[in-house]
Amino acid sequence: MEELLLEFQAKLLRQSLEFQRYLLNELDLNNRLIAIKGARGSGKTTLLLQLAKLHLPQSSSLYISLDHIYFFNHNLYELAKQFALMGGTHLLLDEVHKYPYWSREIKLIYDNFPELKVIFTSSSMLEIYQSESDLSRRAVSYTLKELSFREFIQLETKRNLPSYSLDAILNEHQQIAGTLLQDIKPIPLFEKYLRIGAYPYYRENEQSYAQKLINTINLIIEIDIHAVEDMQYDSLVKLKKLLITVATSAPFTPNISKLSEKVGVSRNMLVHSIKLLERAGLVNELYKDNSGIGVLTKPEKLYLNNSNLMYALAKENTNIGNVREAFFLNQFKGLHEINLAEKTDFIIDKTYSFEIGGKNKTKKQVAQLDKAYLAKDGIEIGYSNTIPIWLFGFMY
């Protein structure tokens, strides 16, 4: 235990506070059990360590990753029991999906040590509400999204700019854009963000980022998905084949029969595979109506989760229209309900219609619609119901 505490203190000393993710100040630390899910590479480990450094009593907190060699000879419950006896108050557990029986032991910790608050991170693959020991009545769950365009700008320019609600953007976009233009030139920054700005580790080496992203995709499929689903190797290979097929389509409207034949899996297995890739943070499914969506319901459109994945996988076959739509969908996901629309590209919260396009896109498709907007690429500032698409990257 002493060695783990010393390792934790060393990690805290090395942990920078210069850049902080949006979720850091949104967590309600009054909860006794908090789950933070997110795709590999989104910054969950850094979030835990910054949380400990900024908001938790360091003398009674402990961080540990559950793939630590400590667990070769010890179990998690023993660790929590010993830590609680020492006066511990906050136990921070990283990568719980790498530890067998994690949910059972966390449930026991929650039930038996009421003085101990537990915050754990996991792959976005993990369904904590369908785990072996149902934690739905105990855990409050948060999802750490990829970097927003606003957060990317902060990393690039050191400017900590504010976020804005959707309502503010729709009604005050000219004033907001005018204020932001005093500090940044958004168009070149936006072009860079679409290619390399979704994950914080792009800062390590921009030239090798695409290869690192492909390595991350392989790890998600071969380790994270395998850990949760225990799929055979040949099935994992077929997931990669499916992902590349989606990446090179613009946008992808899945023909399940043809696609299942191309990938080499049954229809039901194909639909299940798509849902696995969505849970893993690699694709986004989209429907005209979310009601009635079942386990075997095929999506009406399929996008890669963010434009960086598209550029890494499709390379020269990347379609700019698909890139813009994938960005728009990604920034809204988890914040607002987003669906396919009948006459435009998307409808938000069943109320606001959006057509996405370049700077030469006309208002033809939104002209006769109520509460309809044009989200344009390649413009710094908008007018009336035409809004720069980059501004939707300031919602978190």
Side-chain angles (χ1 to χ4, degrees), residues 21 135 145 155 172 195 208 216 219 245 254 277 341:
R21 294 301 313 278
L135 298 176
K145 289 164 62 72
L155 277 173
E172 305 164 29
R195 290 180 176 273
S208 63
T216 299
L219 289 172
T245 301
L277 291 173

Side-chain angles (χ1 to χ4, degrees), residues 177-302:
T179 300
L180 293 173
L181 288 170
Q182 296 175 28
D183 291 312
I184 59 169
K185 297 292 289 182
I187 292 177
L189 285 166
F190 187 60
E191 290 176 354
K192 184 176 181 180
Y193 170 81
L194 292 176
R195 290 180 176 273
I196 67 167
Y199 302 94
Y201 63 83
Y202 87 87
R203 298 282 288 173
E204 296 168 8
N205 188 323
E206 292 182 11
Q207 284 65 44
S208 63
Y209 174 71
Q211 184 56 53
K212 283 187 177 180
L213 189 50
I214 289 173
N215 293 343
T216 299
I217 292 167
N218 287 330
L219 289 172
I220 290 171
I221 291 174
E222 294 170 9
I223 296 178
D224 296 353
I225 291 180
H226 179 66
V228 176
E229 286 289 318
D230 194 25
M231 297 178 75
Q232 297 299 313
Y233 179 75
D234 63 332
S235 297
L236 297 174
V237 171
K238 288 170 182 175
L239 283 183
K240 294 181 188 178
K241 191 174 180 181
L242 173 59
L243 202 59
I244 292 171
T245 301
V246 176
T248 53
S249 304
F252 190 59
T253 304
N255 182 315
I256 296 299
S257 299
K258 288 183 179 179
L259 191 56
S260 60
E261 184 178 336
K262 182 176 181 179
V263 177
V265 296
S266 68
R267 181 194 186 283
N268 287 356
M269 183 59 193
L270 179 66
V271 175
H272 179 61
S273 297
I274 290 171
K275 295 188 185 304
L276 285 180
L277 291 173
E278 179 171 52
R279 281 169 51 198
L282 293 175
V283 304
N284 282 326
E285 299 178 278
L286 211 56
Y287 302 84
K288 287 181 181 174
D289 186 351
N290 284 341
S291 61
I293 296 173
V295 175
L296 295 178
T297 305
K298 79 175 184 72
E300 291 167 89
K301 275 193 181 179
L302 201 57

Side-chain angles (χ1 to χ4, degrees), residues 302-370:
L302 201 57
Y303 294 85
L304 288 192
N305 187 38
N306 59 69
S307 57
N308 289 192
L309 296 171
M310 297 170 65
Y311 280 110
L313 290 169
K315 299 180 173 64
E316 67 275 4
N317 294 319
T318 304
N319 176 279
I320 187 60
N322 201 16
V323 165
R324 292 171 184 139
E325 290 182 27
F327 162 78
F328 189 86
L329 171 56
N330 174 270
Q331 300 293 289
F332 275 90
K333 188 179 179 184
L335 302 180
H336 294 270
E337 183 180 347
I338 181 166
N339 296 98
L340 293 171
E342 292 289 343
K343 297 181 180 179
T344 59
D345 290 319
F346 303 107
I347 186 165
I348 306 298
D349 297 335
K350 294 186 171 63
T351 303
Y352 306 107
S353 299
F354 283 91
E355 183 69 15
I356 316 299
K359 62 182 179 181
N360 296 321
K361 184 83 172 181
T362 70
K363 290 187 176 183
K364 180 180 177 181
Q365 285 170 273
V366 300
Q368 305 301 318
L369 300 176
D370 187 36

Side-chain angles (χ1 to χ4, degrees), residues 10-28:
K11 281 184 168 67
L12 283 183
L13 286 173
R14 294 193 299 268
Q15 181 57 57
S16 169
L17 297 175
E18 183 180 6
F19 172 72
Q20 299 168 24
R21 294 301 313 278
Y22 73 97
L23 193 59
L24 186 63
N25 295 310
E26 293 183 8
L27 301 173
D28 184 353

